[in-house]
Amino acid sequence: MLADRFGRKSMLLLGCLLYALFGALPVLLHELRLILLSRLLFGCAEALIMTCCTTLIADYWPPRERMRYINRQVITIGVVGALFFVIGGVAGEGSWRTPFLLYLTPLLMLPAIAAWLWEPDRRQEDSHAAPALNGGVRRTVLTACFLIFAGMVTCFVVTVMTPTVLVMRGVTSTSLIGAAAGLAILCTLIGSIAWPFVRERIGVAGVNALLLGCMAAGLCVLALAPSYAVVLAAMVLQGVGAGFLVSNASLPLLLGLPPHLRARGVGAFTACLYLGQFASPLIITAIAQPLGGMPAGLANAILVWALLTMVLALVWLVVGLRHARLQSGPVAH
């Protein structure tokens, strides 16, 4: 809503400034509660940046180009995230505070943002703005938000719980645990790169069913894995599915929302993305409680969530096939 009211570019500049400020603040803080508060505010700034960037992509480019740049955004996030993960690890050898200084790097981008980005002309958009969401737009937003929430819950089962699963399997080497996480990130990038080609062949609904199925299969393999090698196979399945997720979930939103509602819809989508990440360990822990608690019931809890995800994949497949059949119309004989 802030980006709709005050403009995308100005909110992006503000978001980058706050991102750097709150991101680097733990370097100076000593109390844990203040550090946690700074991370909370940092998350708000990050969400503001994500919303503004995604909305600007939709504002700047027509639908076909929009798809391409959204996918490039997802790939860039993965590459830069992996790169800074490595740099942060090296920087943290001397002090745990040093990696937080990396969050100052967006300050270097502020002049480029101010000089090269422009605020879309929304006067014509506002003159044609509808007073409220219609049913179709509301369904688009709710569907995208539901998918990204459920998908992020599933993704973060692997991110958060894989180290525990590996330790329970007798793998305690931090290098091996880190390698498994790195493989998942690599496969996520592969999935992101492959997404345009897969989407062209099976459509958005088909990709939704595929990505949910891949992630569900990955969770099943992870929960039942008897060895480290099998856990790596789970990382591949999960990573490829996760690579499809953000681009495919956001595409109907960016194509279907009218310009005057775009930032609001993307903001809701981004909020659900982060809520899914936050809720994931809470959901799995809650499922594990009646199954033996943590960590004894972790594998069964992962299997339960995998089953729910697979059911969702099948529902999406059926709905997608029905929608495709309705669009194709009756076949002439």
Side-chain angles (χ1 to χ4, degrees), residues 4 8 122 125-126 128-132 257-264:
D4 280 330
R8 283 70 148 133
R122 298 170 57 227
E125 298 170 2
D126 292 339
H128 294 88
L257 280 180
H260 69 284
L261 295 175
R262 197 170 282 152
R264 225 171 302 178

Side-chain angles (χ1 to χ4, degrees), residues 13-314:
L13 288 167
L14 176 62
C16 288
L17 185 62
L18 295 177
Y19 182 97
L21 172 64
F22 293 126
L25 201 55
V27 173
L28 305 175
L29 299 177
H30 298 280
E31 293 188 31
L32 179 59
R33 60 182 179 178
L34 293 179
I35 293 175
L36 292 176
L37 177 60
S38 72
R39 301 309 289 168
L40 175 64
L41 296 172
F42 167 80
C44 294
E46 183 177 4
L48 182 59
I49 292 172
M50 285 284 293
T51 300
C52 291
C53 286
T54 305
T55 305
L56 282 172
I57 289 173
D59 288 337
Y60 286 169
W61 284 284
R64 182 169 293 275
E65 292 294 311
R66 198 177 298 166
M67 300 177 201
R68 187 180 307 164
Y69 279 96
I70 284 296
N71 194 50
R72 289 177 181 176
Q73 180 193 37
V74 173
I75 293 171
T76 302
I77 290 171
V79 171
V80 174
L83 179 63
F84 272 67
F85 184 82
V86 174
I87 295 173
V90 174
E93 291 290 339
S95 169
W96 65 268
R97 295 181 184 272
T98 306
F100 288 100
L101 294 174
L102 291 172
Y103 290 113
L104 294 174
T105 51
L107 296 178
L108 302 176
M109 300 178 62
L110 289 178
I113 294 172
W116 294 342
L117 298 186
W118 66 94
E119 184 66 31
D121 185 2
R122 298 170 57 227
R123 288 172 297 181
Q124 185 176 0
E125 298 170 2
D126 292 339
S127 65
H128 294 88
L133 288 171
N134 60 44
V137 172
R138 186 178 289 108
R139 281 193 300 272
T140 298
V141 174
L142 291 177
T143 301
C145 289
F146 172 75
L147 177 60
I148 196 64
F149 176 83
M152 280 297 158
V153 170
T154 306
C155 285
F156 265 63
V157 173
V158 171
T159 303
V160 176
M161 300 301 177
T162 296
T164 303
V165 171
L166 286 172
V167 170
M168 292 173 66
R169 299 295 186 271
V171 179
T172 57
S173 167
T174 55
S175 297
L176 291 177
I177 294 173
L183 179 61
I185 293 173
L186 175 62
C187 291
T188 299
L189 293 176
I190 292 172
S192 299
I193 294 169
W195 171 73
F197 308 101
V198 178
R199 181 190 54 78
E200 286 180 3
R201 284 158 178 78
I202 64 176
V204 172
V207 175
N208 284 337
L210 177 61
L211 71 88
L212 290 168
C214 283
M215 291 195 293
L219 291 185
C220 287
V221 173
L222 176 65
L224 300 173
S227 65
Y228 180 74
V230 179
V231 170
L232 294 182
M235 298 300 101
V236 173
L237 286 168
Q238 174 75 18
V240 171
F244 296 148
L245 176 61
V246 176
S247 297
N248 210 64
S250 63
L251 182 61
L253 194 70
L254 297 177
L255 296 180
L257 280 180
H260 69 284
L261 295 175
R262 197 170 282 152
R264 225 171 302 178
V266 173
F269 180 87
T270 305
C272 289
L273 184 151
Y274 288 116
L275 284 173
Q277 295 177 0
F278 174 78
S280 180
L282 303 179
I283 291 173
I284 296 301
T285 301
I287 295 174
Q289 290 309 309
L291 301 175
M294 292 287 286
L298 175 58
N300 288 331
I302 293 175
L303 283 174
V304 170
W305 187 258
L307 177 61
L308 294 174
T309 305
M310 187 60 74
V311 170
L312 183 59
L314 293 174

